[in-house]
Amino acid sequence: MSTTILSLSPPFSVCNKLNPLLFYTRRRTVSLSSRYPRSRFNRFATSIRLLTVAAASENNGVFTSPEIAKTFDFAAEERIYNWWESQGYFKPNFDRGGDPFVISMPPPNVTGSLHMGHAMFVTLEDIMVRYNRMRGRPTLWLPGTDHAGIATQLVVERMLASEGIKRVEMGRDEFTKKVWQWKEKYGGTITNQIKRLGASCDWSREHFTLDEQLSQAVVEAFVRLHEKGLIYQGSYMVNWSPTLQTAVSDLEVEYSEESGHLYHIKYRVAGGSRNDWLTVATTRPETLFGDVALAVNPQDDRYSKYIGQMAIVPQTFGRHVPIISDKHVDKEFGTGVLKISPGHDHNDYLLARKLGLPILNVMNKDGTLNEVAGLYSGLDRFEARKKLWAELEETGLAVKKEPHTLRVPRSQRGGEIIEPLVSKQWFVSMEPLAEKALQAVEKGELKIIPERFEKIYNHWLSNIKDWCISRQLWWGHRIPVWYIVGKDKEEDYIVARNADEALGKAHKKYGKDVEIYQDPDVLDTWFSSALWPFSTLGWPDLSTEDFNKFYPTTMLETGHDILFFWVARMVMMGIEFTGKVPFSYIYLHGLIRDSQGRKMSKTLGNVIDPLDTIKEFGTDALRFTVALGTAGQDLNLSNERLTSNKAFTNKLWNAGKFVLQNLPKENDISAWENILSYKFDTEDSVLNLPLPERWVISKLHLLIESVCASYDKFFFGEVGRETYDFFWADFADWYIEASKGRLYNSGNDGNSVAFMAQAVLLYTFENILKVLHPFMPFVTEELWQALPNRKHALIVTPWPETQLPRCTSSIKKFENLQTLVRAIRNTRAEYSVEPAKRISVSVVASNEVIEYIAEEKEVLALLSRLDLQNLRFLNSSPGNADQSVHLVAGEGLEAYLPLADMVDISAEVQRLSKRLVKMQKEYDGMLAKLNSPKFVEKAPEEVVRAVQEKATEAEEKITLTKNRLEFLNSNVLVSK
């Protein structure tokens, strides 16, 4: 309830309609002193003041009414958010029953800082959560953060390096302590930033992937997979980070197009003449020390004679490798000769395994060459490349070096070039797990949105490779494997849930004197993330309340770029460990790009910071903007869109101000009884309303029906666009304007018409707030709290009912009225009629149309600025038709506007004549340019095109002006 002093200013003129952000500000008042005796009035006034104070103290400074504040203050967002959380609204509520709606938040890296990708997933997930909460479903959005093994270790190592400290000098335990200290100090940054976006998560259930309970789940998962024979250790090709000295996942490798060279090198044929040699083209000559064969196409006549012979690898003191044939070698690519270095190329590795070739590794873990490289041993891989090429040139084995665009794999974390390397690692055998995940989609147990990603999901799972899950780091989940001192690591190891269990197993197998030590590696961060939907609910303890209430979850929402690396793995692990698909739906959003459609990057300087955006435009505008995209498609973000949606926020605020200022005081019991007596949930209650009210209520009910269907189909962009259009184009631009006639000029019906209009305004506006709340939670809650008689916070207010009555014929009728108003307004603008001037009009239509238009003549006059006394309704053209502007508003609906009533005809003729002379002069100048060969031939093409377009436009304007003058002159003659 507000105590704002009321404005008694006169109504705005229609010219204020030109500014969509302005609304009439007079508040309807009821004289209390005339209704009550003086003593009763004083007591009543006192009670008003007391109730006002009570309401203010109840709000406790959290909310501000539009009657007080000119615009919505973005600073209020944090206050509102804290109030929601303090009231427990983010926790699941089972009071209204229903199936739970559960989302597990994709855990952002603990090192993370808010970016637009976070803004996208937080907005979309919060929309789903708020919608289902208002629908009455117990709703759980479970948040948390990821320990981000590589990223976090790298951050702390850099921090220590700035202090002159190296990780290896500290030892594992001390370093891990430092990382935990860093996490406690800085780890909450991303969480607080996510809150700033309005995320209504249940923070009391927040998890961290290294929490004790989640760590137990990780160990349990490893042990169970190993017991089933699905985890094994072996030496295979991995992505190796020489600086971090760890394997990294495919997701953590980014490929970039970079300028490099293609090196052409001679390989002599053993036992051949000086002219018997093959030229190999390679981008990485330093890997030739790891060559195990040369391959050519058996159909390549240039080399077929050498198949079966041996080639000499340059700079290796005569090491021989076989020349083999393979039909997959492309004769047209490069020289047609393929060097096979299986220790340093993914494709060569697969080919070598297929053909049974040996695998030769020439590189150390730090990116230097090893003893296999002979004299080049100890050199950095790039230094070795330079030295090798120089020496190849000296020996005549270098053919040429040419510029070449390379696709370079770089570490997402450190930026260094990743090295394909064969390394001993732990792997998960994926095929048995993938089969069940494929069946889940095939059987309809899991639905992917948009559907087109099902093909990608199926293709990846059908061609899945075993998953390298070990990382050579210190920060993360230690692999639960122990080795026996003095025994072969590959043959003698123990998998256990903890060190005591491992020691017990070792004693039982090897005797009491045995010593054990744990594998130094940690698990891939994605391994713990794959358990996220059920480990966060208590698994492996199947008796926990949360697991039984909330698993399986409902929705997994994330970016389409991690469909394989995270989403598919969660599906596989969920089925494997719980026997159930972990969620029913996968909703995949696209990337947010800049206004030109480019990926945001620091290099391009086009990164948009969400926190800066919030400061300038508000959280609601940012959320509404990113939510208007389509599932799976990238969204181009621009300041123009954000500015437009900030204006939308202001429009809502001003609409709220108008509604509030035209409602009675909350303590005016009699007035409120009248307003609240209006119900709109039956057919009769809608049909008995006047046309504008029937129209807006019918449109509202259709909107509710439509957006509910779109919400349930996850078409959030459609919800936003439909609601935006209804609020702005229907409610604000038309009904609010039409209602002013009810509120300020009630006529003989007195307060009853005003009460009806107030009831419709309030009902429509509060339902708009409900529908928009999931998108724009802050401004809608602020406005909701300002409305009188609120029983609940908007965040937990029941969603509007569906299948409410509507009158489609009334929609068509009001659209006819709108068309007529637009036609009159356009004509007024065309003839530059003064905004305050009221003009005459004759409306010509059938009796049926006249009946419903005439019933709303006050609305027609108000919206079109007509002289109500000279507004006539006829079945045929008026007598002064030839001196009027004739408008055809629609089939069977016309209007005649007397010209003399709008303008001084003689003055208008003079004005247009002068304008015509000027326009003709400009047009002639453009024609002269275009007819000049010198201009057309020498001027840039775009300049010539621009002049041609201007000339065409000028010609059209001249024709229109001549027609107008002809019409005006004919009226001058008639009047004479």
Side-chain angles (χ1 to χ4, degrees):
M1 184 175 64
S2 171
T3 56
T4 306
I5 297 173
L6 307 182
S7 168
L8 299 178
S9 57
F12 282 164
S13 65
V14 171
C15 64
N16 281 322
K17 262 302 275 106
L18 300 175
N19 183 347
L21 302 182
L22 292 176
F23 291 95
Y24 178 60
T25 59
R26 189 180 75 177
R27 178 153 181 179
R28 183 169 181 83
T29 59
V30 178
S31 172
L32 299 177
S33 59
S34 62
R35 185 175 295 175
Y36 298 101
R38 171 63 84 182
S39 60
R40 286 186 64 197
F41 175 76
N42 288 339
R43 287 197 299 274
F44 195 44
T46 301
S47 69
I48 290 175
R49 286 194 297 273
L50 290 173
L51 283 167
T52 302
V53 172
S57 64
E58 184 179 321
N59 282 342
N60 201 24
V62 176
F63 301 102
T64 304
S65 170
E67 292 185 287
I68 296 172
K70 185 178 179 182
T71 59
F72 176 57
D73 184 4
F74 303 149
E77 293 174 350
E78 291 185 78
R79 294 198 303 272
I80 294 170
Y81 187 90
N82 293 335
W83 180 77
W84 282 328
E85 190 175 6
S86 71
Q87 300 300 307
Y89 293 142
F90 298 164
K91 298 177 184 293
N93 185 338
F94 286 85
D95 290 349
R96 291 161 65 187
D99 294 329
F101 181 86
V102 186
I103 297 184
S104 298
M105 175 187 286
N109 288 351
V110 71
T111 57
S113 183
L114 199 68
H115 56 67
M116 280 299 173
H118 296 124
M120 175 72 91
F121 90 70
V122 169
T123 296
L124 293 173
E125 291 176 28
D126 199 40
I127 285 173
M128 299 182 207
V129 167
R130 288 177 184 269
Y131 168 68
N132 282 282
R133 185 185 289 122
M134 293 175 77
R135 291 301 296 261
R137 296 177 68 176
T139 302
L140 173 61
W141 186 10
L142 205 152
T145 48
D146 194 296
H147 65 277
I150 292 177
T152 308
Q153 180 162 319
L154 194 58
V155 166
V156 177
E157 281 197 58
R158 285 171 177 169
M159 180 187 75
L160 294 172
S162 68
E163 301 169 8
I165 303 171
K166 292 183 178 180
R167 168 172 62 93
V168 290
E169 295 171 354
M170 296 181 68
R172 184 170 195 141
D173 291 342
E174 280 302 311
F175 177 75
T176 304
K177 284 181 185 177
K178 282 287 185 184
V179 182
W180 275 109
Q181 289 171 7
W182 181 93
K183 188 265 177 187
E184 293 305 316
K185 186 173 182 180
Y186 299 106
T189 299
I190 187 66
T191 296
N192 292 327
Q193 291 174 339
I194 284 174
K195 289 182 177 183
R196 192 69 187 83
L197 288 165
S200 57
C201 311
D202 183 355
W203 294 105
S204 68
R205 286 177 165 89
E206 183 180 9
H207 284 287
F208 178 53
T209 48
L210 281 178
D211 285 348
E212 183 178 352
Q213 190 265 314
L214 269 65
S215 296
Q216 289 175 359
V218 168
V219 171
E220 185 66 28
F222 187 99
V223 171
R224 291 191 190 185
L225 289 172
H226 185 268
E227 287 173 350
K228 290 186 73 171
L230 295 176
I231 283 184
Y232 64 92
Q233 189 180 39
S235 294
Y236 296 93
M237 177 71 70
V238 297
N239 299 308
W240 186 262
S241 169
T243 301
L244 294 169
Q245 294 199 28
T246 180
V248 296
S249 75
D250 292 339
L251 182 65
E252 291 156 338
V253 178
E254 293 181 339
Y255 290 87
S256 60
E257 298 285 324
E258 299 180 20
S259 297
H261 293 93
L262 191 61
Y263 301 85
H264 293 252
I265 304 169
K266 288 182 181 179
Y267 282 62
R268 298 196 184 281
V269 177
S273 68
R274 294 178 62 85
N275 296 323
D276 289 320
W277 44 269
L278 290 81
T279 300
V280 171
T282 177
T283 58
R284 304 173 67 212
E286 69 279 6
T287 63
L288 64 76
F289 298 109
D291 290 352
V292 297
L294 297 183
V296 298
N297 192 298
Q299 304 300 319
D300 194 332
D301 295 336
R302 294 173 295 175
Y303 309 119
S304 57
K305 63 182 178 181
Y306 297 124
I307 295 172
Q309 298 188 48
M310 304 294 283
I312 303 171
V313 180
Q315 303 301 104
T316 62
F317 302 102
R319 184 167 67 86
H320 289 32
V321 296
I323 301 169
I324 63 175
S325 66
D326 190 286
K327 64 182 180 180
H328 295 104
V329 176
D330 186 352
K331 293 188 292 182
E332 306 303 322
F333 182 78
T335 63
V337 182
L338 176 69
K339 66 187 281 295
I340 300 176
S341 310
H344 300 281
D345 182 273
H346 287 284
N347 294 324
D348 290 1
Y349 176 76
L350 295 174
L351 183 61
R353 292 190 67 185
K354 184 181 78 170
L355 299 175
L357 296 170
I359 295 170
L360 197 57
N361 175 32
V362 302
M363 207 162 292
N364 296 312
K365 297 293 178 68
D366 62 356
T368 59
L369 271 58
N370 62 24
E371 65 279 358
V372 174
L375 296 175
Y376 297 86
S377 176
L379 288 177
D380 175 78
R381 51 186 167 159
F382 302 117
E383 291 176 14
R385 181 181 300 176
K386 292 178 183 177
K387 182 178 180 183
L388 175 60
W389 183 250
E391 294 184 358
L392 286 170
E393 287 181 317
E394 288 178 11
T395 57
L397 295 176
V399 179
K400 63 178 178 178
K401 180 174 79 170
E402 58 186 3
H404 186 73
T405 300
L406 309 177
R407 189 168 180 262
V408 180
R410 288 191 176 273
S411 167
Q412 188 186 61
R413 304 302 175 193
E416 65 173 327
I417 294 178
I418 291 296
E419 190 65 40
L421 206 65
V422 175
S423 174
K424 184 181 287 186
Q425 304 287 341
W426 288 95
F427 294 85
V428 177
S429 180
M430 300 302 289
E431 278 190 25
L433 301 172
E435 187 177 344
K436 294 177 183 177
L438 282 165
Q439 290 174 1
V441 172
E442 188 179 324
K443 293 178 180 178
E445 297 171 353
L446 177 62
K447 183 176 177 59
I448 300 176
I449 304 166
E451 191 175 347
R452 70 176 185 274
F453 282 99
E454 285 186 11
K455 290 182 179 178
I456 301 171
Y457 173 91
N458 291 339
H459 180 267
W460 188 73
L461 286 175
S462 299
N463 297 276
I464 198 165
K465 299 175 184 177
D466 287 355
W467 175 15
C468 174
I469 56 170
S470 48
R471 298 290 180 266
Q472 291 63 52
L473 301 170
W474 285 356
W475 173 247
H477 296 103
R478 192 88 172 261
I479 289 179
V481 170
W482 283 261
Y483 301 106
I484 313 302
V485 174
K487 298 284 186 179
D488 187 331
K489 290 175 67 174
E490 291 188 28
E491 297 296 329
D492 298 282
Y493 66 82
I494 293 168
V495 175
R497 290 169 176 82
N498 52 58
D500 291 340
E501 182 182 314
L503 189 59
K505 287 184 176 182
H507 285 167
K508 189 174 181 179
K509 187 173 181 180
Y510 300 102
K512 295 292 183 182
D513 296 332
V514 73
E515 292 183 29
I516 62 173
Y517 62 97
Q518 191 172 359
D519 192 308
D521 291 354
V522 299
L523 286 163
D524 179 12
T525 300
W526 293 102
F527 188 87
S528 55
S529 299
L531 314 178
W532 186 251
F534 48 95
S535 64
T536 52
L537 294 172
W539 186 89
D541 184 353
L542 304 184
S543 65
T544 62
E545 185 179 4
D546 275 4
F547 185 82
N548 286 286
K549 278 186 176 179
F550 301 119
Y551 189 83
T553 66
T554 313
M555 167 66 69
L556 188 283
E557 191 285 332
T558 191
H560 64 68
D561 53 332
I562 56 173
L563 173 61
F564 317 129
F565 306 105
W566 184 44
V567 181
R569 287 169 179 167
M570 280 190 288
V571 177
M572 289 185 277
M573 293 299 184
I575 296 172
E576 172 65 23
F577 294 120
T578 71
K580 298 176 182 178
V581 181
F583 25 76
S584 302
Y585 300 94
I586 298 170
Y587 183 101
L588 301 171
H589 67 249
L591 303 176
I592 295 186
R593 299 182 177 274
D594 70 6
S595 59
Q596 300 175 43
R598 300 175 301 175
K599 190 174 181 179
M600 291 187 187
S601 71
K602 292 179 180 177
T603 305
L604 292 174
N606 61 346
V607 176
I608 301 174
D609 187 326
L611 296 177
D612 291 340
T613 303
I614 286 170
K615 287 177 186 176
E616 184 176 355
F617 301 99
T619 303
D620 291 317
L622 173 59
R623 286 172 59 117
F624 194 78
T625 302
V626 300
L628 291 183
T630 303
Q633 293 185 6
D634 294 351
L635 175 76
N636 293 354
L637 186 65
S638 65
N639 276 350
E640 289 75 19
R641 287 188 176 190
L642 290 164
T643 301
S644 173
N645 292 323
K646 181 182 179 181
F648 182 43
T649 307
N650 290 336
K651 185 84 169 178
L652 270 174
W653 190 256
N654 286 323
K657 183 177 295 187
F658 176 86
V659 172
L660 282 165
Q661 291 179 336
N662 286 284
L663 290 175
K665 286 282 190 177
E666 193 168 354
N667 310 90
D668 189 343
I669 298 170
S670 175
W672 277 105
E673 284 177 352
N674 278 289
I675 291 171
L676 297 177
S677 69
Y678 284 92
K679 305 295 181 185
F680 307 105
D681 55 355
T682 65
E683 191 172 339
D684 286 344
S685 65
V686 174
L687 292 177
N688 290 332
L689 292 170
L691 179 60
E693 284 69 28
R694 285 204 309 277
W695 167 77
V696 77
I697 294 294
S698 295
K699 291 275 283 189
L700 172 67
H701 289 172
L702 286 170
L703 172 76
I704 292 169
E705 199 79 29
S706 178
V707 299
C708 282
S710 293
Y711 265 121
D712 291 338
K713 294 175 184 174
F714 311 109
F715 294 167
F716 305 119
E718 289 301 310
V719 175
R721 282 184 285 274
E722 287 184 59
T723 310
Y724 180 99
D725 290 342
F726 171 76
F727 167 74
W728 200 302
D730 294 334
F731 181 67
D733 281 0
W734 287 95
Y735 185 68
I736 279 184
E737 295 300 320
S739 71
K740 293 174 183 177
R742 319 291 201 201
L743 297 168
Y744 314 136
N745 304 297
S746 301
N748 296 328
D749 293 329
N751 286 337
S752 62
V753 174
F755 289 146
M756 179 271 300
Q758 289 168 327
V760 171
L761 278 170
L762 180 60
Y763 175 77
T764 307
F765 188 63
E766 66 183 9
N767 276 291
I768 288 169
L769 295 181
K770 289 178 185 180
V771 171
L772 273 176
H773 178 73
F775 284 76
M776 309 175 79
F778 293 110
V779 69
T780 53
E781 184 73 77
E782 185 92 299
L783 289 165
W784 180 266
Q785 294 290 341
L787 295 173
N789 305 309
R790 300 299 97 185
K791 295 178 182 178
H792 308 284
L794 180 55
I795 188 176
V796 290
T797 292
W799 189 258
E801 295 293 325
T802 54
Q803 297 183 332
L804 292 166
R806 74 291 305 264
C807 179
T808 52
S809 62
S810 296
I811 294 174
K812 178 61 179 172
K813 289 175 181 178
F814 193 80
E815 286 174 352
N816 283 342
L817 179 63
Q818 287 177 303
T819 304
L820 179 59
V821 170
R822 288 193 191 98
I824 295 171
R825 286 176 172 175
N826 289 340
T827 303
R828 291 179 64 106
E830 197 176 323
Y831 284 90
S832 303
V833 179
E834 289 294 326
K837 184 178 177 63
R838 294 185 178 274
I839 62 174
S840 306
V841 68
S842 295
V843 177
V844 179
S846 65
N847 288 332
E848 180 189 357
V849 175
I850 286 175
E851 183 180 356
Y852 66 77
I853 297 287
E855 279 183 5
E856 297 303 331
K857 62 182 179 181
E858 288 86 1
V859 172
L860 176 62
L862 174 68
L863 299 179
S864 307
R865 301 301 291 170
L866 304 178
D867 181 355
L868 193 58
Q869 304 304 316
N870 288 300
L871 171 56
R872 297 187 299 162
F873 296 93
L874 308 169
N875 295 122
S876 58
S877 303
N880 62 346
D882 59 347
Q883 299 174 50
S884 302
V885 177
H886 179 209
L887 308 177
V888 179
E891 189 175 346
L893 179 59
E894 303 174 28
Y896 291 84
L897 281 62
L899 192 59
D901 202 31
M902 292 193 292
V903 295
D904 180 331
I905 297 176
S906 298
E908 184 69 3
V909 166
Q910 289 181 2
R911 186 182 72 83
L912 289 177
S913 297
K914 288 180 181 178
R915 183 180 171 190
L916 182 61
V917 170
K918 183 181 178 183
M919 289 166 63
Q920 189 66 50
K921 186 177 180 181
E922 291 173 352
Y923 177 65
D924 292 342
M926 284 184 270
L927 283 184
K929 266 189 176 182
L930 294 172
N931 290 328
S932 167
K934 189 176 181 181
F935 170 75
V936 174
E937 291 170 7
K938 292 188 175 181
E941 186 180 339
E942 60 271 18
V943 173
V944 175
R945 192 184 310 115
V947 175
Q948 288 172 336
E949 289 172 359
K950 285 183 180 180
T952 303
E953 185 181 342
E955 187 177 15
E956 290 172 358
K957 288 182 179 179
I958 288 170
T959 302
L960 287 172
T961 305
K962 284 180 177 178
N963 291 340
R964 181 79 56 77
L965 275 169
E966 185 179 347
F967 176 64
L968 289 170
N969 283 321
S970 67
N971 274 274
V972 171
L973 293 173
V974 169
S975 63
K976 287 180 179 179

